[in-house]
Every structure is written in C-alpha cells, then in structure tokens.
Amino acid sequence: MPQLGLLPRRTWAALLSQLLRPPRAACTGAVSCHSQVVEAVLTSQMKSHPEKPNFIIKTPKGTRDLSPQQMVVREKILDVVVSCFKRHGAKRLDTPAFELKEMLAEKYGEESGLIYELKDQGGELLSLRYDLTVPFARYLAMNKVKKMKRYHVGKVWRRESPTIVQGRYREFCQCDFDIAGQFDPMIPDAECLKIMCEILSGLQLGDFLIKVNDRRIVDGIFAICGVPESNFHAICSSIDKLDKMCWKDVRHEMVAKKGLAPEVADRIGDYVQCHGGVSLVEQMFQDPRLSQNKKALEGLEDLKLLFEYLTLLGIAEKVSFDLSLARGLNYYTGVIYEAVLLQTPVQAGGEQPLSVGSVAAGGRYDGLVGMFDPKGHKVPCVGLSIGVERIFYIVEQRMKSFGEKVRTTETQVFVATPQKNFLQERLKLIAELWDAGIKTEMLYKNNPKLLTQLHYCENMGIPLVVIIGEQELKEGVIKLRSVASREEVVIKRENLVAEIQKRLSES
C-alpha cells in the first residue's frame, strides 16, 4: 500500500467520506469492512494516476525535424531546382513511398542490403523506396509509356549508418529529372548535364565540376585488366569509393576483401587515376588494349559526341572525363556523371571544412524498364538527381557563418489599432485584405498595445502596417505605415487595397 502522506487531497476526501459513513448491518466486522473500503479507494486512485513510461523524446536515428527557418531555406532551393526542370519541359510525377519488395529486389547490387523492408500487413511483402529511378522504370513498364520527360520530388529511405555532418540521412529528399525514349545518341544526355549546370549555378554554391565516364568504358577496363566478368559489379562498387577513399585503400578492399589478384588491381589503377577533357577521350582511342574492346569503344565514341554537344551548350569547361567515376548501382548502362564542389565549404564557426561528396549525379539506364516488362521491351532512359540534403546543409552552414536571418512567414501587411474595443473593425479590415489576396495578420487580442503590435512587425519583417482608430473610422481613412522607414500616410478607405498592391509590386 502506498504511503498515505503522499496521497492527493481528493484521495483523502474520498477516504474520509467512506470512513465516516456508518458500517452496514450486513458487514459483520466493521474494522474489516472499513479496511476493504480504504483498499478499494486506494486501488482506484492508483489506477487513475498511472506512471508515465520512461523514454527519451527524439526523432528516429538518421531522421530530423525541419524548423520553419529551415523550411524557408529548403523551399528556396527546391524552387530553383523545380523551376529549372519545368523550364526544360518536364512533367511532374509521383509514386508510392513503398513498393512491392520484388520490384526493388536485385536492382541496386551491393546497395540492396540498405533497403528498408516492411512487415507483411496485408498479404504483400513491401519495401520503402530506395530511390526515385526504379519506381519510375516500374511506372513506364506498367503503363506501357515509351516516351516521357518527367521530374519527381519526394522522400526516399536507406538503412545505412547516417553521417549527419556530411548531410547523409536515412530519410531524405531527392529531386530527379529523367528523359525516357528512343532518341539520337547523346542529345538527352547533354541536356541533363546542362540542367545540372543551370541548377548548381543558380544555387550559387561556388565553382563546381561535373565528372563524366561511361559504364561500358569501366567494364572494358575491367575486361582488359583481367577482372572476371562475374566480379564486375563488386569491383565497380569499390572503384565508386575513390571519391571518399584513396587508391591505396580501394586497392586493399579489392584484393583483400574481394579476392582480386594484386597485379589486376594495379592494372586497373593505371586507368582509374586518369582524368581530363576531350583530349583524354582521344588518348583512350589510341590505347592499344582499350581500343580493342568493343564496349569501351562504343562508350568512347559516345563521350566524344557528348563533348561536342557540351561545347555547343557552353558548358564543356565544367565537365571532366574521369576514369575513376564508376557509379556503383547495377542499373547504369552508359554515360554516368557526378557533380562535386571545387571550393570546400566551411562549417559555421570556421572550424573545419565540410565533406559532403557529390551534390548531383546520374546517368543512362537503358535496361531497367525491360526488367519490369513481361516481354522484356526496353525503353532507353537517362536522368539526374540533385542532392538536396547536401546542398541544404551547405547553404544552412553558409548562412550561419554570415549571420543571415531567415524570415519564416510571407506576411505583407499587419492590421493594428492604437485603441481599445476595435476588434470588430480590425476583423472587417483584415477580411477585406484577405479577400483581395493580400497576405495579412493581426494579433489575437481584443485590446493589444500599439507598441506591441509594431514590435511584432519589426521582429517578423512585415513591411506594411495599416492602422485604424476612432479618428480614422470617423473620417473614412486608414493610416498606412512603412515598418522600415516608420513613415505614415493617410489613405481613403476605398483606396487602401489599390495602394497596398501598388507598394508591394514596387518592392
């Protein structure tokens, strides 16, 4: 039994009322009867005050909440990205957050272990989508779509160890642009690279470089160096880590963990450490071993044509032919690319540079749609993905370094009064402004102080205040105040909306 001295006042009142009540005749032992009553009341009170479970309030590992300030920054980034996608004629598409498990299986190579699998909740084995590319391929095959230019903004999930300081999460947003259909070589591919340049330039992240390669060249290098074909994907996955690891560590992984002969690894090293422009493409044409490989030759010819188009689009100087680029995902079949920042961003406080890796990537995946089609009909595809989370992290850190403030609302006008009992007039006025499509606020108080209202406008960055009081109401006018300059003008009530719209259009 709990200590009586710790019981709440209401519990004591209930006890006393029961104890002071005379015992019923049916009860042979009054003391025993009263003890049963006490026990019953205590038990009832204890049940109504259950202890709270002991847990820490937090978001799941690898996820996060986004504050209103962060959402403003994020939306600005997405506006730049999506407006570019629309400028290039893309249609928006959306797919479910989860897919049938079999739809995602065997599409990602070694990365398949990172797919989130869901419990069977209704006769279907499901998985959270790992990216937006495979669901797009499934959509094309399911709906028998042969040509489409689409963009997709949505969340994806990966069951990996998150590195928050590098902008890596288990749940994150992707922004994809893809061109599906049979077209002349390298024209859609060149447009994808142009889009990447436009977006990264528009976001003003600093100087950047887009690395390009071709999976056929990668496979050709593996073949002439002596890698067994069954081991291509595994070795490709190791080479893909060269942007995070030095060649010595990648070589050790291929030899010690994946059983590659040391001399084969060394021959691969001679190639994957080469990078340059179109001149390197010409140099690879002259390579006596690589030029004899049919796949590699096809890749080199496409890259030569690609650089011609990139020159015409005015972005050739932003692109580098880099033989270390591999893109470890299984579904890539041709040209692959990845954008990196050349100026390493600095964390807020300037302590150490950020390590964020690539900020955009993509490539050609001509066989993925055919994997879903019952008859194996292929739809050639090429696309790109913008690393929104990493870009967001860079922009956020930069804003912190410069002490930039973020305005969390878009309110344009505030309705204020210097006098009491003017709530009805404020409500009439704010309704008039809302109906005119003007973003307007007021304080939810009957009689707010004018100074409090003006301070709110300054803190929230609201540019204009309309003030109504007894004098204004009597004369049929409104005071319009500029928050920045603190200048006030008197305007006729019927001209208020037009005057506000004029000022807002000029700002």
Side-chain angles (χ1 to χ4, degrees):
M1 186 180 296
Q3 296 179 18
L4 297 180
L6 300 179
L7 291 174
R9 185 177 296 175
R10 263 191 265 177
T11 305
W12 276 113
L15 276 170
L16 286 171
S17 67
Q18 295 288 347
L19 289 170
L20 293 173
R21 188 178 300 162
R24 290 176 292 177
C27 188
T28 57
V31 175
S32 172
C33 223
H34 280 181
S35 67
Q36 290 174 17
V37 170
V38 171
E39 189 70 34
V41 172
L42 287 173
T43 303
S44 172
Q45 291 296 323
M46 288 174 68
K47 285 181 179 178
S48 64
H49 294 87
E51 289 187 12
K52 289 184 178 180
N54 186 21
F55 63 87
I56 299 172
I57 301 175
K58 62 185 285 291
T59 58
K61 184 179 180 182
T63 67
R64 61 174 170 170
D65 296 318
L66 292 172
S67 69
Q69 289 84 357
Q70 290 174 314
M71 284 305 300
V72 171
V73 178
R74 192 182 190 87
E75 285 175 0
K76 287 181 179 178
I77 293 170
L78 291 176
D79 283 346
V80 172
V81 174
V82 171
S83 63
C84 182
F85 291 165
K86 290 180 177 180
R87 188 163 61 246
H88 285 263
K91 305 171 184 177
R92 187 161 193 169
L93 181 69
D94 194 18
T95 62
F98 48 85
E99 296 274 348
L100 293 174
K101 180 181 174 181
E102 62 193 270
M103 295 291 125
L104 305 185
E106 300 179 3
K107 306 296 191 301
Y108 301 102
E110 290 187 356
E111 305 295 315
S112 293
L114 303 180
I115 296 173
Y116 267 109
E117 296 181 1
L118 305 177
K119 289 181 79 173
D120 181 359
Q121 296 290 342
E124 294 181 327
L125 294 176
L126 307 171
S127 298
L128 292 175
R129 64 187 178 202
Y130 180 88
D131 65 8
L132 302 178
T133 305
V134 171
F136 175 54
R138 189 264 307 152
Y139 174 88
L140 293 175
M142 190 175 82
N143 294 282
K144 296 180 171 51
V145 177
K146 301 300 181 185
K147 286 186 180 181
M148 188 178 190
K149 187 186 288 188
R150 70 100 203 206
Y151 76 93
H152 189 175
V153 177
K155 286 188 175 183
V156 299
W157 294 266
R158 297 184 184 179
R159 193 169 48 85
E160 60 183 344
S161 297
T163 311
I164 308 303
V165 294
Q166 296 180 350
R168 295 175 69 90
Y169 295 88
R170 286 181 166 181
E171 176 190 69
F172 56 96
C173 178
Q174 279 195 340
C175 297
D176 281 20
F177 174 97
D178 293 85
I179 301 172
Q182 186 71 53
F183 303 102
D184 288 339
M186 295 299 103
I187 301 174
D189 309 68
E191 183 173 10
C192 286
L193 292 172
K194 175 66 173 172
I195 289 169
M196 285 174 71
C197 284
E198 288 180 11
I199 290 172
L200 295 177
S201 297
L203 291 171
Q204 299 179 348
L205 300 173
D207 204 7
F208 60 89
L209 181 70
I210 302 176
K211 303 175 184 179
V212 300
N213 199 1
D214 194 295
R215 281 295 284 268
R216 292 167 295 180
I217 298 174
V218 175
D219 288 350
I221 289 172
F222 291 164
I224 65 173
C225 290
V227 179
E229 189 171 346
S230 60
N231 214 15
F232 276 15
H233 287 309
I235 299 304
C236 184
S237 179
S238 294
I239 296 298
D240 193 42
K241 298 174 183 176
L242 278 170
D243 63 333
K244 309 177 192 74
M245 298 162 54
C246 66
W247 165 246
K248 182 181 176 182
D249 292 339
V250 171
R251 181 188 183 279
H252 178 266
E253 179 180 297
M254 291 193 299
V255 174
K257 297 182 180 180
K258 299 187 176 179
L260 199 65
E263 61 274 16
V264 173
D266 291 336
R267 285 197 288 268
I268 292 172
D270 292 338
Y271 282 102
V272 298
Q273 296 180 77
C274 297
H275 55 85
V278 68
S279 59
L280 182 60
V281 179
E282 297 291 352
Q283 185 181 326
M284 289 297 108
F285 270 119
Q286 306 305 317
D287 185 284
R289 291 183 299 168
L290 194 60
S291 60
Q292 297 304 308
N293 184 278
K294 183 182 177 184
K295 271 192 170 184
L297 201 58
E298 290 173 358
L300 288 169
E301 287 170 350
D302 276 350
L303 279 186
K304 184 180 178 181
L305 182 60
L306 177 64
F307 270 99
E308 288 181 19
Y309 294 155
L310 297 181
T311 301
L312 294 171
L313 294 174
I315 59 169
E317 74 283 356
K318 292 288 187 183
V319 181
S320 169
F321 176 31
D322 193 321
L323 287 166
S324 70
L325 183 64
R327 302 295 294 153
L329 294 174
N330 275 9
Y331 52 64
Y332 287 118
T333 57
V335 171
I336 49 177
Y337 34 83
E338 197 170 87
V340 294
L341 300 181
L342 296 179
Q343 298 166 325
T344 307
V346 177
Q347 291 192 53
E351 296 172 2
Q352 59 183 3
L354 298 170
S355 175
V356 294
S358 64
V359 291
R364 178 160 286 280
Y365 51 102
D366 290 344
L368 189 56
V369 177
M371 295 175 71
F372 293 105
D373 192 285
K375 296 181 180 178
H377 293 313
K378 293 184 178 181
V379 177
C381 296
V382 64
L384 64 99
S385 183
I386 302 297
V388 175
E389 304 295 346
R390 295 180 181 184
I391 291 170
F392 170 70
Y393 187 68
I394 293 166
V395 173
E396 190 178 34
Q397 291 299 312
R398 185 173 62 191
M399 291 178 70
K400 286 179 182 177
S401 298
F402 290 102
E404 294 180 36
K405 291 185 178 180
V406 176
R407 192 177 168 210
T408 54
T409 73
E410 297 182 8
T411 306
Q412 300 163 315
V413 179
F414 188 88
V415 176
T417 183
Q419 291 164 325
K420 293 183 178 182
N421 303 319
F422 258 72
L423 177 60
Q424 291 184 357
E425 295 304 324
R426 283 189 292 146
L427 287 172
K428 290 178 187 176
L429 190 52
I430 201 170
E432 184 181 335
L433 297 177
W434 282 336
D435 291 344
I438 297 170
K439 299 167 184 173
T440 315
E441 277 190 80
M442 71 175 203
L443 289 189
Y444 303 138
K445 277 192 168 186
N446 276 313
N447 301 308
K449 293 180 180 178
L450 182 60
L451 195 59
T452 302
Q453 297 169 86
L454 296 179
H455 280 167
Y456 178 82
C457 295
E458 290 178 359
N459 293 335
M460 298 301 292
I462 301 172
L464 297 173
V465 183
V466 294
I467 302 172
I468 185 168
E470 289 181 4
Q471 190 68 26
E472 288 80 18
L473 187 62
K474 183 179 178 182
E475 297 177 4
V477 297
I478 297 290
K479 276 185 186 174
L480 183 59
R481 177 187 174 100
S482 168
V483 175
S485 67
R486 300 188 177 182
E487 294 178 355
E488 294 181 356
V489 294
V490 177
I491 299 168
K492 287 185 178 181
R493 174 70 178 257
E494 60 267 24
N495 297 335
L496 179 63
V497 168
E499 179 63 26
I500 289 174
Q501 289 174 335
K502 178 186 173 186
R503 290 198 181 203
L504 293 175
S505 65
E506 293 172 351
S507 62

